[in-house]
Amino acid sequence: RSGEMAKLTQLIDNEVFRAYATYATIVLLKMMLMSLITAYFRISRKAFVNPEDTASFGKGESAKKYLRTDPSVERVRRGHLNDLENIVPFLGIGLLYALSGPELSTALLHFRIFTGARIAHTFAYLIPLPQPARGLSWAVAYAVTISMAYKVLKTALYL
Amino acid sequence: RSGEMAKLTQLIDNEVFRAYATYATIVLLKMMLMSLITAYFRISRKAFVNPEDTASFGKGESAKKYLRTDPSVERVRRGHLNDLENIVPFLGIGLLYALSGPELSTALLHFRIFTGARIAHTFAYLIPLPQPARGLSWAVAYAVTISMAYKVLKTALYL
Amino acid sequence: RSGEMAKLTQLIDNEVFRAYATYATIVLLKMMLMSLITAYFRISRKAFVNPEDTASFGKGESAKKYLRTDPSVERVRRGHLNDLENIVPFLGIGLLYALSGPELSTALLHFRIFTGARIAHTFAYLIPLPQPARGLSWAVAYAVTISMAYKVLKTALYL
């Protein structure tokens, strides 16, 4: 079985695949951070959705007033959902792109711009920066994903 | 390193894997289209969530009236979320299924029906078509994913 | 082409990869179950979002009263979204982790704890159990994903 394991390790030894693994992990960790930021705002703003989450604030009406929406919490949640909507396509298309044999430098360019744009998007959303900062960072990451999808379809198309 | 690259390219040379790459990319592009449709309805209906998005409409009350929900925008957003809920399982289970050595014709059947059903689902949601059009297209794609999951577990089960 | 197929089959023959395939599929099926639970509560509580879904209840006002939110439906939907937010990182990081050559026993430990924690999270959310049951099960699965991400970056880092 060590022979098979070697073959798997070869995949992770390939530089394009390593670059994909690195940037996919970074961008997923960034997305996971949104959960912590949501929790931080829920606790600091005392704004919860689930009755069981406010039980420690006492019973009845005194706890019920913390079941409310807060603009900061909702903003982070929108950023989180936008991450899901854009990072899921990157994960899937990016993996197939990494396996489609692109030039290392071209692949790095795609992965770096996507990751940078999504980090910029998070800052633009959470600060928030005036438009078109958020729109532009969203569009850049979107365009990078389309470019990778084009390469995948050009290389692998089998309908 | 060209030897390793060759091995990777072999993966994308396999016909089942190429079919997976093709349909996964198509279905992800379809999902990404939902972002553009949302943006189109937000702009044409003038219905935004973020105050910074309405700044170009003027200051104060004149801009504030565009911070509102619109039924068409909400409909597209529900379709988008439904895509996420159903395309994420397809991406993961479909990849494992493609690696589990299915017959090419069987694999193509799965990928084509899933992709067709999800495109039909989008039309059924956005037009909208009377039920059970949306429910049925959802169920077909769901059943295809279950069928692939069964094959993956039958081939790979290691608890 | 049977040679290429053999190579793919070798991937699914690797025990770590088979373990990943098994637990990724289980956790995705669990997430898909949330759709059925949502549908069950929507129908039993008669709480829908789309006008076309209530058409069978009659026309006009008699059907319109079923276009409403229900606490149980919303609870399942929050559980579903939380699954997406946490299972997507597991899918991506877990795949890369499985390819990074971990010990089989260590990999199994990661996959089993993650899967167990997410199943516990669902029960904690839907019953619902008093806190910190839900928070703890969430945190355990989150920590497992971070641990896998650390291994991926340690093995594959290529910036």
Side-chain angles (χ1 to χ4, degrees):
Chain A
R1 284 198 177 275
S2 63
E4 284 158 14
M5 193 64 94
K7 253 166 236 147
L8 284 184
T9 316
Q10 282 168 8
L11 194 63
I12 209 91
D13 276 352
N14 175 280
E15 281 164 330
V16 170
F17 195 81
R18 282 176 58 196
Y20 169 73
T22 301
Y23 287 99
T25 302
I26 289 173
V27 99
L28 282 172
L29 289 173
K30 191 226 76 58
M31 187 173 92
M32 289 173 71
L33 190 60
M34 303 306 270
S35 298
L36 296 184
I37 302 176
T38 302
Y40 169 78
F41 277 113
R42 282 209 183 283
I43 291 165
S44 65
R45 302 291 162 99
K46 290 204 170 77
F48 300 90
V49 239
N50 298 298
E52 67 269 28
D53 301 354
T54 62
S56 62
F57 298 123
K59 292 219 178 283
E61 290 310 311
S62 60
K64 224 170 184 174
K65 68 171 179 242
Y66 301 122
L67 295 175
R68 57 190 186 85
T69 57
D70 173 87
S72 299
V73 172
E74 296 310 308
R75 182 173 280 278
V76 186
R77 292 183 66 226
R78 288 195 298 275
H80 200 165
L81 186 58
N82 195 280
D83 269 355
L84 267 172
E85 292 168 358
N86 291 280
I87 290 173
V88 164
F90 173 78
L91 279 184
I93 292 171
L95 173 69
L96 299 167
Y97 170 77
L99 297 174
S100 74
E103 286 293 320
L104 175 60
S105 58
T106 316
L108 279 171
L109 200 69
H110 280 82
F111 299 156
R112 284 172 182 159
I113 294 176
F114 181 89
T115 305
R118 290 309 304 179
I119 292 173
H121 183 271
T122 302
F123 279 105
Y125 219 147
L126 297 191
I127 292 177
L129 297 177
Q131 286 284 27
R134 196 182 86 239
L136 219 63
S137 55
W138 173 85
V140 168
Y142 194 91
V144 168
T145 309
I146 298 283
S147 163
M148 295 192 302
Y150 173 75
K151 174 73 166 80
V152 170
L153 291 180
K154 216 182 62 175
T155 312
L157 193 69
Y158 193 101
L159 283 167
Chain B
R1 284 202 173 270
S2 63
E4 285 157 13
M5 194 63 95
K7 252 165 237 145
L8 284 184
T9 316
Q10 282 167 8
L11 194 63
I12 209 92
D13 277 353
N14 175 280
E15 281 164 331
V16 171
F17 195 81
R18 281 176 59 196
Y20 169 73
T22 301
Y23 288 100
T25 302
I26 289 172
V27 99
L28 282 172
L29 289 173
K30 190 226 76 59
M31 186 173 93
M32 289 174 71
L33 189 61
M34 303 306 270
S35 297
L36 295 185
I37 301 176
T38 302
Y40 168 77
F41 277 113
R42 282 209 183 284
I43 291 165
S44 65
R45 303 291 162 100
K46 291 204 171 79
F48 300 90
V49 240
N50 297 298
E52 66 268 29
D53 300 355
T54 61
S56 61
F57 298 123
K59 291 222 178 282
E61 291 309 312
S62 59
K64 224 171 183 172
K65 69 173 180 243
Y66 301 122
L67 295 175
R68 56 191 187 84
T69 57
D70 173 87
S72 300
V73 172
E74 297 308 308
R75 182 173 281 277
V76 187
R77 292 183 65 225
R78 289 197 297 276
H80 200 165
L81 186 57
N82 195 280
D83 269 355
L84 267 173
E85 292 169 357
N86 290 281
I87 290 173
V88 164
F90 173 79
L91 278 184
I93 292 171
L95 173 69
L96 300 167
Y97 170 77
L99 298 174
S100 74
E103 287 292 321
L104 175 60
S105 58
T106 318
L108 279 171
L109 201 68
H110 280 82
F111 300 156
R112 285 172 183 160
I113 294 177
F114 181 89
T115 305
R118 290 308 304 179
I119 292 172
H121 183 271
T122 302
F123 279 105
Y125 218 146
L126 297 192
I127 292 178
L129 297 177
Q131 286 285 27
R134 197 183 85 239
L136 219 63
S137 55
W138 173 86
V140 168
Y142 194 91
V144 168
T145 310
I146 299 283
S147 163
M148 295 193 301
Y150 173 76
K151 174 72 166 77
V152 170
L153 290 181
K154 216 182 62 174
T155 313
L157 193 69
Y158 194 101
L159 283 166
Chain C
R1 281 195 181 276
S2 62
E4 283 157 14
M5 194 63 95
K7 252 164 234 146
L8 284 184
T9 316
Q10 283 167 9
L11 194 63
I12 209 93
D13 277 352
N14 174 281
E15 281 163 331
V16 171
F17 195 81
R18 281 176 57 195
Y20 169 73
T22 302
Y23 287 100
T25 302
I26 289 172
V27 99
L28 282 171
L29 289 174
K30 191 225 77 57
M31 187 173 93
M32 289 173 71
L33 189 60
M34 303 306 270
S35 297
L36 295 185
I37 302 176
T38 302
Y40 168 77
F41 277 112
R42 282 209 182 283
I43 292 165
S44 66
R45 303 291 163 98
K46 291 204 170 80
F48 300 90
V49 241
N50 297 298
E52 66 269 28
D53 301 354
T54 61
S56 61
F57 299 122
K59 291 224 177 280
E61 290 310 309
S62 60
K64 222 170 184 174
K65 68 172 180 244
Y66 300 122
L67 294 176
R68 58 192 186 83
T69 58
D70 173 88
S72 299
V73 173
E74 296 309 307
R75 182 174 281 277
V76 187
R77 291 183 65 225
R78 289 196 298 275
H80 201 164
L81 186 57
N82 195 280
D83 269 355
L84 267 173
E85 292 169 358
N86 290 280
I87 289 173
V88 165
F90 173 78
L91 279 185
I93 292 170
L95 173 68
L96 300 167
Y97 170 77
L99 297 174
S100 74
E103 286 293 321
L104 175 60
S105 57
T106 317
L108 279 171
L109 201 68
H110 280 82
F111 300 155
R112 285 172 183 160
I113 295 177
F114 182 89
T115 305
R118 290 308 304 179
I119 292 172
H121 183 271
T122 301
F123 279 105
Y125 218 146
L126 297 192
I127 292 178
L129 297 177
Q131 286 285 27
R134 197 183 85 238
L136 219 63
S137 55
W138 173 85
V140 167
Y142 194 91
V144 168
T145 310
I146 299 284
S147 163
M148 294 192 302
Y150 174 75
K151 173 73 166 78
V152 171
L153 291 180
K154 216 181 64 174
T155 312
L157 193 69
Y158 194 101
L159 283 166

